[in-house]
Amino acid sequence: TLGDAAAAALHVTYQTGHVALHRRAHLQPGETLLVHAGAGGVGSAAIQLGLAAGARVVATAGGAEKVQVCRDLGAELVIDYRAGDFVDAVKEFTDGRGADVIYDPVGGSAFDISLRCVAPEGRLIPMGFASGTIPQIPANILLVKNVTVIGFYYGYWNGWGGKGEPSPKEAAALAKRRAMVADAQKQLMRWFTEGKLKATVAGSFDLGDWVEAFKLIEQRTVVGKAVLVP
């Protein structure tokens, strides 16, 4: 049974992760996926989605409690970024190769350092900038390591924020993207019923307490997804 709060948490966050990892990055079984901020809503979803797809998952998190959350979700290796650099640990885990796919909702220095442990022909997905800093990408590293940086905006796949009526061609393309999102949701529900996914809900807040919920997110004390309930 999927409760209201879990359903809300499973919807956008997990759809985002599924389409980004599978449709855009083409994550393959056996590849190594590095997930930053693994105990957050976006990160906890990515860990589970990577495991469900047969990838080996490495996660970073801040502090012992969040490290344990990532372990409980099934990550093979969890690195406390407060304790030091994660590059050596990722390279050791991958026998020096580096991570094939890096899922980064943090940005800033996390993205910059990730360039030092991404595998040749690896893919980096910037999913947000929780650090407050948008990284500037050195093209020479992308060239030398044949690295791909993959942009992904979930709203584009759903037609959010469009200006005016789309042309027939644009409408047809949007219909195809929406169909892909619908297919992704069906896969998510299959994995949920098989026990491969568990929506991680940090807490349910009354709609009137939205300020408190956002403060907890800003303070990085939220584990999983904070859900507002009308």
Side-chain angles (χ1 to χ4, degrees), residues 43-54:
S44 61
I47 289 174
Q48 296 175 70
L49 290 166
L51 292 170

Side-chain angles (χ1 to χ4, degrees), residues 21-39:
L21 289 172
H22 295 280
R23 300 284 184 177
R24 297 287 286 137
H26 301 290
L27 179 67
Q28 299 298 309
E31 287 191 316
T32 298
L33 168 66
L34 171 59
V35 178
H36 289 310

Side-chain angles (χ1 to χ4, degrees), residues 20-110:
L21 289 172
H22 295 280
R23 300 284 184 177
R24 297 287 286 137
H26 301 290
L27 179 67
Q28 299 298 309
E31 287 191 316
T32 298
L33 168 66
L34 171 59
V35 178
H36 289 310
V42 172
S44 61
I47 289 174
Q48 296 175 70
L49 290 166
L51 292 170
R56 303 184 69 196
V57 179
V58 177
T60 65
E65 179 184 355
K66 291 186 177 182
V67 165
Q68 188 59 50
V69 168
C70 296
R71 289 190 180 127
D72 292 343
L73 289 171
E76 285 189 58
L77 173 66
V78 187
I79 305 156
D80 186 346
Y81 64 78
R82 295 179 181 177
D85 198 328
F86 54 82
V87 171
D88 289 341
V90 172
K91 286 189 174 181
E92 181 179 356
F93 181 81
T94 57
D95 296 324
R97 173 177 168 78
D100 299 291
V101 177
I102 300 179
Y103 196 81
D104 178 23
V106 179
S109 62

Side-chain angles (χ1 to χ4, degrees), residues 158-220:
N158 281 288
W160 297 349
K163 298 180 179 179
E165 289 295 320
S167 69
K169 183 177 180 179
E170 291 170 340
L174 175 57
K176 289 182 179 179
R177 294 197 298 272
R178 284 176 169 167
M180 289 180 184
V181 171
D183 286 342
Q185 184 62 31
K186 291 176 182 177
Q187 178 65 76
L188 292 174
M189 294 310 299
R190 283 193 292 269
W191 280 340
F192 178 81
T193 57
E194 293 170 2
K196 294 180 179 179
L197 299 182
K198 178 183 178 182
T200 308
V201 179
S204 297
F205 300 83
D206 289 337
L207 192 58
D209 296 330
W210 66 271
V211 174
E212 177 189 352
F214 273 97
K215 284 182 178 178
L216 293 175
I217 294 171
E218 288 177 346
Q219 294 165 5
R220 298 188 179 183

